[in-house]
Amino acid sequence: MLTVNIHEAKTHLSRLVERAAKGEPFIIAKAGNPLVKVIPLQAQEAGTTHRLGFLKGEIRVPEDFDRMGQEEIEARFTVGGP
């Protein structure tokens, strides 16, 4: 794996980033001591969708979900309500 010192990395950052983005990670070192490893991000491919249903069976929605708090809501919109 390519190792470059900080000065070289600053001087050639654009070129190094391009190489890393194409799958060639590199290490930035200071005085010969490795500091960081630069690797490409795995971006989501265009046209892919998120996985639906991954919480199936983990969450329970109450049968009266659409009526929860109905009395309080009606009271707030009724003349003479709280």
Side-chain angles (χ1 to χ4, degrees):
M1 182 176 306
L2 175 65
T3 300
V4 295
N5 65 41
I6 290 177
H7 178 72
E8 183 181 356
K10 289 191 299 185
T11 303
H12 303 289
L13 184 61
S14 295
R15 178 177 53 90
L16 292 167
V17 168
E18 283 293 321
R19 287 177 61 174
K22 292 177 182 175
E24 296 179 47
F26 65 95
I27 294 173
I28 297 177
K30 182 176 183 179
N33 296 318
L35 296 176
V36 296
K37 180 178 180 181
V38 180
I39 61 171
L41 290 175
Q42 301 301 325
Q44 184 177 3
E45 293 181 23
T48 59
T49 58
H50 294 284
R51 187 171 50 109
L52 299 177
F54 68 97
L55 288 176
K56 187 174 184 175
E58 300 292 321
I59 298 175
R60 187 180 150 301
V61 178
E63 290 294 323
D64 65 342
F65 174 77
D66 59 339
R67 296 181 304 279
M68 293 173 66
Q70 183 175 357
E71 293 173 5
E72 181 182 346
I73 294 169
E74 286 177 359
R76 293 186 182 272
F77 287 95
T78 304
V79 176

